Amino acid sequence: MERMIAIGRRKLDFTPAGSQEPVVGVHLFCTHMGDNVEGLMAERIFFNIRSELYGQVMALSFPCEIDVNFNRYGKPESFTVVNKK
């Protein structure tokens, strides 16, 4: 589990060049503390529109503090809003 501050999101809906399958989802932009980093690190996490978490991401108000659980492949599998700022 990693504590992060969600600071924004960007909707995505495009078809990559050379592909027939569209990419539809949202990028969640977060900051967090990192090893060997002065200040904060920034992360961009992708949530596909078919993900169970997509609706939760779209309902967030910013900024807010979240705990994110990642699976062994580094993909988010759950998150909890800890504190709305």
Side-chain angles (χ1 to χ4, degrees):
M1 179 174 7
E2 190 160 350
R3 176 81 38 106
M4 298 182 161
I5 299 173
I7 57 174
R9 72 177 153 250
R10 176 176 50 203
K11 289 183 179 181
L12 299 171
D13 187 356
F14 67 95
T15 303
S19 175
Q20 297 295 322
E21 190 167 332
V23 174
V24 181
V26 63
H27 276 142
L28 181 64
F29 298 97
C30 301
T31 60
H32 63 96
M33 302 296 288
D35 296 336
N36 302 317
V37 174
E38 293 181 34
L40 297 172
M41 288 181 63
E43 298 287 339
R44 180 180 70 184
I45 306 169
F46 176 72
F47 294 88
N48 191 296
I49 195 165
R50 292 174 290 206
S51 168
E52 301 171 2
L53 303 177
Y54 179 84
Q56 287 179 266
V57 172
M58 295 308 292
L60 289 175
S61 56
F62 303 105
C64 64
E65 198 168 5
I66 59 175
D67 283 336
V68 183
N69 290 310
F70 294 93
N71 65 20
R72 65 182 181 165
Y73 305 108
K75 305 287 185 190
E77 59 183 10
S78 66
F79 70 87
T80 306
V81 176
V82 178
N83 186 11
K84 295 179 182 181
K85 297 199 174 216

